[in-house]
């Protein structure tokens, strides 16, 4: 029986991808295939799998049937053609870039990044000989100006904190397509509400650790291939995809995938980077993310609705100097948010306390329901004071350039009842 084609996120989250029921047992829930290896039918079958004449299970470092359901389901939800799940969001970012770059190459990245990505780009990639050119997303043309013949991709986050100004996805994707450069989007903070591939991005990645999991139990990441970028036409800009690959008996990835569809980028990542660097997602964690995914569209609705109410509430509070959330932005920032986000403005929210550093710390210490953690995207509400934690190694000036002032508090609004969220914020504000 063929599966109907669904397009609505609520349905895709439950029915999208490769799974209907387990062919052996009829199990409706996706089984956890907690195995390292898979028995070949015969030597011909084994040879076909290794030769990529047939796609199938070999060894769990390379692929796994539980993980495959997560990959095909998220690919469907993002509107891509295929995906690769990996051990963390950090490894997803690393793989997304390293798949295209060799020493001596460069990429152009937005300055507005998660701190872990910043470190990876500014220090670890630099040590590998990959240069990252940082560009202020306020001026999308900066991406074109920073591009040269060895620029392999552009990189940005949909809704980067602490500034929470939505990245101009369509503009930079269009600039990239004119230059023959693909845009890779970290969509961790905006699953369901933003579809970067539909806006012209070529690749999307997520830290599944955040909203996709939602329960805060597992670390993971995923890269989705949009199948919408012509790597072959890019010729010498993409040597890793268009030149013979000595690590896979001289295969040229853009040619080898022709019978399989436009999956050169993601297949090369699986068969070389995942094979060699080994950052595989555990099948149990893939199962946990599938559980999270089932309610993701519903949760995002509630996350976003709650955040909207918190933004309005804090905007009217006498101890709050400023609220940072797309719903209260004006001008170009608001235009960008409205162009890229549909069905919600996200659930990350910042606010500045008039009392500065001491007020920020006192507020955090007074919270009773919000968890004080360095995380986002949990079903529970979370809070942190960046100036004394995540950004404490930076000078006050450098903190300010990233958008962190001494009194800045970052909230990740959860799905609890809005009355309880506001009550906890109010009683903590009373103690400031
Ligand atoms: N991207 C963003 C936007 C993040 O917030 C994070 C983690 O906080 C990551 C990537 C890295 O993900 P992970 O912690 O799963 O490695």
């Amino acid at each position: 029986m063929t599966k109907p084609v669904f397009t609505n996120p609520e349905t895709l989250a439950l029915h999208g991808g490769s799974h209907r029921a387990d062919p052996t047992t009829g199990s409706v829930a996706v089984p956890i295939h907690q195995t390292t290896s898979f028995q070949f039918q015969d030597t011909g079958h084994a040879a076909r799998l290794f030769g990529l004449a047939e796609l199938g299970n070999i060894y769990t470092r390379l692929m796994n049937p539980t993980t495959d359901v997560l990959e095909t389901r998220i690919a469907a939800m993002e509107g891509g053609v295929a995906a690769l799940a990996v051990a963390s969001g950090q490894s997803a970012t690393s793989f997304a870039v390293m798949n295209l770059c060799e020493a001596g190459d460069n990429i152009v990245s937005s300055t507005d990044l998660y701190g872990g990505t910043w470190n990876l780009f500014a220090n670890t990639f630099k040590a590998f000989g990959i240069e990252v050119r940082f560009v202020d997303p306020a001026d999308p043309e900066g991406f074109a100006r920073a591009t040269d013949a060895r620029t392999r991709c552009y990189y940005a986050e949909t809704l980067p904190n602490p500034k929470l100004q939505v990245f101009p996805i369509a503009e930079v994707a269009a600039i990239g397509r004119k230059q023959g450069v693909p845009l890779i989007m970290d969509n961790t903070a905006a699953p369901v509400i933003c579809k970067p591939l539909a806006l012209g991005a070529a690749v999307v990645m997520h830290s599944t650790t955040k909203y996709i999991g939602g329960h805060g139990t597992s670390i993971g990441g995923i890269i989705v291939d949009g199948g919408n970028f012509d790597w072959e036409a890019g010729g010498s800009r993409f040597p890793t995809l268009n030149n013979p690959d000595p690590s896979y008996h001289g295969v040229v990835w853009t040619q080898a995938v022709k019978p399989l569809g436009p999956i050169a980028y993601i297949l090369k990542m699986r068969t070389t980077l995942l094979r060699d660097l080994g950052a595989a997602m555990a099948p149990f964690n893939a199962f946990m993310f599938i559980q999270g995914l089932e309610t993701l569209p519903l949760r995002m609705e509630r996350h976003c609705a709650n955040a909207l109410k918190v933004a309005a509430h804090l905007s009217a509070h006498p101890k709050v100097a400023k609220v940072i959330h797309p719903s209260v932005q004006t001008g170009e920032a608001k235009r960008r948010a409205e162009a890229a986000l549909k069905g919600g403005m996200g659930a990350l929210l910042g606010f500045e306390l008039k009392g500065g550093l001491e007020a920020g710390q006192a507020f955090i210490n007074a919270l009773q329901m919000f968890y004080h953690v360095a995380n986002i995207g949990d079903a529970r509400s979370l809070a942190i004071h960046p100036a004394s934690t995540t950004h404490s190694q930076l000078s006050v000036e450098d903190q300010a350039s990233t958008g962190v002032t001494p009194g800045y508090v970052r909230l990740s609004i959860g799905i609890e009842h809005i009355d309880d969220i506001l009550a906890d914020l109010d009683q903590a504000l009373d103690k400031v």
Side-chain angles (χ1 to χ4, degrees):
M1 198 176 76
T2 49
K3 256 174 120 170
V5 177
F6 301 113
T7 53
N8 295 307
E10 298 84 350
T11 314
L12 283 172
L14 289 156
H15 297 279
S18 57
H19 181 79
R20 172 66 184 167
D22 181 61
T24 316
T25 61
S27 167
V28 170
V30 178
I32 307 171
H33 292 278
Q34 193 72 21
T35 179
T36 55
S37 35
F38 300 86
Q39 158 100 332
F40 304 122
Q41 290 153 19
D42 52 38
T43 53
H45 178 226
R48 285 195 302 282
L49 292 178
F50 276 91
L52 300 178
E54 189 180 324
L55 295 182
N57 301 312
I58 297 175
Y59 186 62
T60 283
R61 170 152 47 75
L62 298 171
M63 74 285 281
N64 175 281
T66 308
T67 313
D68 179 71
V69 177
L70 179 72
E71 291 167 340
T72 50
R73 201 162 278 179
I74 292 182
M77 290 179 75
E78 285 288 356
V81 290
L84 178 69
V86 289
S88 66
Q90 282 299 109
S91 46
T93 303
S94 306
F95 277 25
V97 173
M98 289 166 75
N99 206 38
L100 298 171
C101 290
E102 295 168 323
D105 293 342
N106 68 75
I107 74 167
V108 184
S109 170
S110 168
T111 45
D112 291 0
L113 291 176
Y114 163 62
T117 307
W118 177 275
N119 246 323
L120 171 71
F121 285 3
N123 299 307
T124 302
F125 277 176
K126 190 175 176 192
F128 289 172
I130 299 170
E131 182 198 353
V132 180
R133 301 173 176 179
F134 292 102
V135 162
D136 184 348
D139 176 17
E141 285 300 329
F143 280 80
R145 288 194 296 277
T147 303
D148 65 18
R150 293 199 69 172
T151 302
R152 304 294 181 233
C153 63
Y154 297 160
Y155 189 96
E157 288 178 23
T158 304
L159 184 55
N161 75 80
K163 289 184 190 160
L164 298 173
Q165 291 181 352
V166 172
F167 185 77
I169 303 174
E171 288 92 326
V172 175
I175 289 168
R177 284 181 186 270
K178 225 188 277 170
Q179 310 264 345
V181 177
L183 173 63
I184 300 175
M185 287 304 306
D186 178 340
N187 202 29
T188 299
V192 183
I193 58 174
C194 183
K195 297 277 173 53
L197 298 177
L199 296 170
V203 173
V204 164
M205 63 74 53
H206 283 272
S207 163
T208 53
T209 312
K210 317 294 179 193
Y211 290 104
I212 288 176
H215 306 108
T217 61
S218 314
I219 301 281
I222 198 158
I223 306 104
V224 181
D225 186 338
N228 60 4
F229 196 86
D230 193 342
W231 306 102
E232 192 179 355
S236 61
R237 188 177 290 284
F238 305 114
T240 62
L241 298 176
N242 287 317
N243 291 352
D245 187 340
S247 89
Y248 218 96
H249 48 69
V251 75
V252 174
W253 292 107
T254 48
Q255 304 306 313
V257 299
K258 288 214 161 133
L260 305 169
I263 59 168
Y265 173 85
I266 208 78
L267 187 65
K268 181 233 178 275
M269 189 183 291
R270 184 186 296 281
T271 46
T272 64
L273 288 182
L274 190 59
R275 177 198 63 186
D276 298 348
L277 299 178
M281 179 181 281
F284 181 76
N285 282 0
F287 172 81
M288 295 303 282
F289 293 127
I290 291 166
Q291 308 316 300
L293 203 57
E294 291 187 348
T295 56
L296 178 69
L298 266 181
R299 278 187 285 116
M300 287 310 291
E301 261 181 49
R302 174 64 80 89
H303 277 296
C304 293
N306 280 350
L308 208 58
K309 290 176 188 154
V310 171
H313 185 77
L314 291 178
S315 295
H317 199 284
K319 290 186 180 169
V320 173
K322 185 177 174 190
V323 171
I324 298 103
H325 185 256
S327 65
V328 295
Q329 287 163 355
T330 54
E332 179 62 11
K334 189 179 181 77
R335 191 199 64 75
R336 287 180 180 180
E338 285 174 349
L341 304 181
K342 303 288 171 213
M345 290 276 170
L348 301 180
L349 184 149
F351 67 97
E352 289 176 16
L353 281 160
K354 289 179 181 165
L357 190 83
E358 277 173 24
Q361 288 178 308
F363 172 81
I364 294 282
N365 287 331
L367 287 169
Q368 292 173 350
M369 186 188 78
F370 276 67
Y371 282 92
H372 178 202
V373 293
N375 193 21
I376 58 166
D378 197 292
R380 303 157 189 83
S381 288
L382 316 174
I384 197 160
H385 177 238
S388 61
T389 57
T390 51
H391 289 59
S392 59
Q393 257 87 90
L394 302 180
S395 67
V396 173
E397 295 75 38
D398 286 349
Q399 286 183 11
S401 73
T402 70
V404 170
T405 55
Y408 186 105
V409 173
R410 184 186 80 196
L411 303 178
S412 173
I413 303 298
I415 60 173
E416 301 95 342
H417 195 285
I418 187 62
D419 293 350
D420 298 320
I421 293 174
L422 297 181
D424 197 31
L425 294 173
D426 281 347
Q427 66 78 25
L429 283 164
D430 283 348
K431 304 205 174 78
V432 166

